[in-house]
Structure formats: C-alpha cells, structure tokens
Amino acid sequence: MAIIEVNGLRKAYGGRTAVDGVSFSVGEGEIFGILGSNGAGKTTTVECVEGLRTPDAGTVRVAGLDPVSDHEKVTRILGAQLQESELQPKLTVREALELYAAFHRAPAAWRPLAERLGLEAVLRTRFAKLSGGQKQRLFIALALIGSPRVVVLDELTTGLDPRARRDTWSLIEEIRDSGVTVLLVTHFMEEAQRLCDRVAVIDRGRVAALDTPAGLISRSTASTVISFVPSRPLDDGELAGLPQAASVETTDGRIVINGTDETVDAVVSLLARHHVTARQLRITDATLDDAFLDLTAPGGPAGTLTEEEKA
C-alpha cells in the first residue's frame, strides 16, 4: 500500500521551474530516497509533501490526505526534519522535547525516545552547546515526538563527520524497523545505497530514474571498475578496444577501466598475452555514484523510466 503518492507535481518560483512533472509513490514501511545534486528540486518536492508549499499543478497525497487542504490532519501522521533547522540557543534538550510534545494530542513519551536516540546524557544541555551529531539526534527526536506514520528527513547528515554519519544511518534503520515510513532526501550516494529500499533520482526538476539502488547501478555504463599498475606499458589501442569498456584512463601510471565482467576477462587475457604483471590490482563493482553520473549526464539517459515505472 502506498502511503505517499505524488503525481505530475509542478512548482515554479518567479518563472523558474523547480519541479517539473515529478511522480512517485512510497510504500508503507519503506525507506524511500530522493537523490539529486544541489538545486535539482529535491527539497521543493518534499516541502510539497509536507504541506509547506502549494503545488502549481499535480497532486500530492499522504495516507490519502492533501497536505495543503488537510494540513492539520497530515501533521498528526507526518513528522519532518527540515534541511535547515535551528532552536533557541539557550533551550535545553529536555525543554525542546517537552515543548514539541505539547504540540501533539497523543505524543510519544519523550524520555524513552531520548534514551533510544542517545540524548539522555544531554537533557540539561543547551542547544548551542550540542555537537553536530547531537543536534541531528535531537531533530530526529522532535520529528518522531508525535508518533508519526511517516517521517521526512532532509539532508540529515550534511556536515557530520564519518562516524556521526554512520551512527545516524543506524538510527534511520531503527526508525524504519519500528514501522515508520522514511522519506530520505540526500545527495550522498553512499547514504542512499546503504539505506534506501528504492530511490528516485531527480535531475533538473524531473525524475530521471526510479528503482532500487541495485537496479540503478545495473543501468550504469560501467558495472565493474578495474584498476592496476602494469609492470610495463600497454598499447593504448588494445586497451581502448577492450570489449564492453566504457572508459579507459591512465593517471600516474595507473590504468582505470570502467567496464563489465567481460572486460575483466579481456584484461586478464591481455596481461597474460603480453606477459605483463598487474600490480596493485583492484576490481570493484560500480556504485550509485557511477549510476548517478550516467543518469544525470547531459544527453544521457536522464528522464527515462523502466517499463515498470511507466506502468
């Protein structure tokens, strides 16, 4: 069952189109990612889902409700952490939790929520004294204080160090496991690949692709990356002629080839034929970064959907 449905969403500011016909649905219990570069239209899309902006065209429904005309009802089932959030500097964590709990008819008990999110030790700490990771945990808590069925997290881990980012990822997975649907907005490819059940790639205000992370990666022109330092130079012509090789680059003596499993076999044969040793050999699968670059490249496959998406 879809708990969020967006169809033909359009939004413009002063004649500039920010969102141009975006459509997607989010199943209940999913972590659904909206992925795109800065200015692609991600935040405008979720602000329409949250009821913070009125669409110029198209429809948005959250559990069958219109976020604008049914805004009060939607706020009872949807929690949000905005892209840019601040609290009064002198407000303590406990005061913030108590204040936000007072906004809801049936709030979650804030003490267990604080304990679950690792905030118990900083309940008396003022907002201005919190670390970046602690602030993000607090904003997650405030988004969950109303016991929502859906939570929107917009650029949640921007500015966090790698350890704090991974800790936050674990929290998002725990939120999903508790039965809450998560709409995650991000431009971190690793984050989307780690967390999301499905991802909508938004490019220049349109949905360029919608699939699982693995499905998006499989569309990449380079599903495998082979890199090595040859014991002696190889012929550029032979490298360029490798089957299924999307690109071949040489930097400081290291050869990097984007290709497929067939390309790997051809590289092995080429090295054996010329009695060349591959030093520092690495063979890795393509990542969501590779798929994203393909999907959003000028003149690339952006704007194309699978047959399942068209249906």
Side-chain angles (χ1 to χ4, degrees), residues 31-108:
I31 298 180
F32 185 92
I34 295 183
L35 184 63
S37 44
N38 292 331
K42 307 186 303 298
T43 294
T44 295
T45 298
V46 297
E47 285 178 344
C48 290
V49 172
E50 295 161 338
L52 299 177
R53 296 193 184 276
T54 303
D56 295 332
T59 61
V60 179
R61 295 292 181 269
V62 178
L65 300 170
D66 185 319
V68 177
S69 60
D70 300 316
H71 188 68
E72 183 179 348
K73 293 180 180 178
V74 169
T75 58
R76 298 175 194 169
I77 61 174
L78 183 146
Q81 170 268 330
L82 303 180
Q83 185 177 35
E84 294 184 9
S85 302
E86 286 292 331
L87 295 174
Q88 289 291 333
K90 294 185 179 181
L91 195 70
T92 67
V93 170
R94 174 173 179 162
E95 289 169 342
L97 291 168
E98 290 178 333
L99 176 63
Y100 274 66
F103 296 154
H104 299 277
R105 295 180 181 179

Side-chain angles (χ1 to χ4, degrees), residues 30-289:
E30 265 193 306
I31 298 180
F32 185 92
I34 295 183
L35 184 63
S37 44
N38 292 331
K42 307 186 303 298
T43 294
T44 295
T45 298
V46 297
E47 285 178 344
C48 290
V49 172
E50 295 161 338
L52 299 177
R53 296 193 184 276
T54 303
D56 295 332
T59 61
V60 179
R61 295 292 181 269
V62 178
L65 300 170
D66 185 319
V68 177
S69 60
D70 300 316
H71 188 68
E72 183 179 348
K73 293 180 180 178
V74 169
T75 58
R76 298 175 194 169
I77 61 174
L78 183 146
Q81 170 268 330
L82 303 180
Q83 185 177 35
E84 294 184 9
S85 302
E86 286 292 331
L87 295 174
Q88 289 291 333
K90 294 185 179 181
L91 195 70
T92 67
V93 170
R94 174 173 179 162
E95 289 169 342
L97 291 168
E98 290 178 333
L99 176 63
Y100 274 66
F103 296 154
H104 299 277
R105 295 180 181 179
W110 64 262
R111 281 189 178 277
L113 186 59
E115 182 178 356
R116 174 183 168 197
L117 293 173
L119 294 169
E120 199 171 28
V122 292
L123 287 176
R124 296 183 179 180
T125 304
R126 299 185 188 278
F127 179 77
K129 298 295 184 181
L130 297 175
S131 68
Q134 290 168 339
K135 288 180 179 179
Q136 294 295 54
R137 288 170 180 267
L138 175 57
F139 288 129
I140 293 175
L142 298 179
L144 296 174
I145 199 74
S147 300
R149 292 171 59 190
V150 179
V151 64
V152 180
L153 305 175
D154 190 354
E155 302 289 6
L156 181 67
T157 59
T158 298
L160 297 185
D161 62 61
R163 182 174 297 280
R165 181 174 295 128
R166 289 180 181 275
D167 288 344
T168 303
W169 292 351
S170 296
L171 287 175
I172 295 171
E173 289 171 329
E174 289 177 19
I175 292 167
R176 187 268 310 277
D177 292 343
S178 71
V180 178
T181 300
V182 178
L183 182 58
L184 178 68
V185 183
T186 184
H187 62 261
F188 289 120
M189 308 301 155
E190 184 184 3
E191 182 166 283
Q193 188 169 346
R194 155 79 182 266
L195 295 174
C196 296
D197 298 300
R198 292 187 301 138
V199 174
V201 177
I202 295 185
D203 181 40
R204 299 181 289 275
R206 298 182 178 183
V207 175
L210 195 162
D211 208 335
T212 63
L216 292 175
I217 291 170
S218 70
R219 302 189 200 185
S220 172
T221 56
S223 60
T224 305
V225 179
I226 311 118
S227 67
F228 60 93
V229 177
S231 57
R232 59 185 179 81
L234 290 168
D235 181 77
D236 291 340
E238 285 192 278
L239 290 171
L242 290 168
Q244 300 297 316
S247 66
V248 179
E249 297 179 359
T250 302
T251 304
D252 296 330
R254 172 171 287 277
I255 297 172
V256 179
I257 303 167
N258 292 313
T260 66
D261 290 342
E262 184 179 348
T263 314
V264 175
D265 294 338
V267 168
V268 172
S269 297
L270 176 65
L271 293 172
R273 190 163 60 250
H274 292 286
H275 306 287
V276 174
T277 301
R279 298 166 179 162
Q280 302 174 32
L281 175 65
R282 297 186 182 91
I283 301 174
T284 58
D285 290 332
T287 66
L288 202 52
D289 284 276

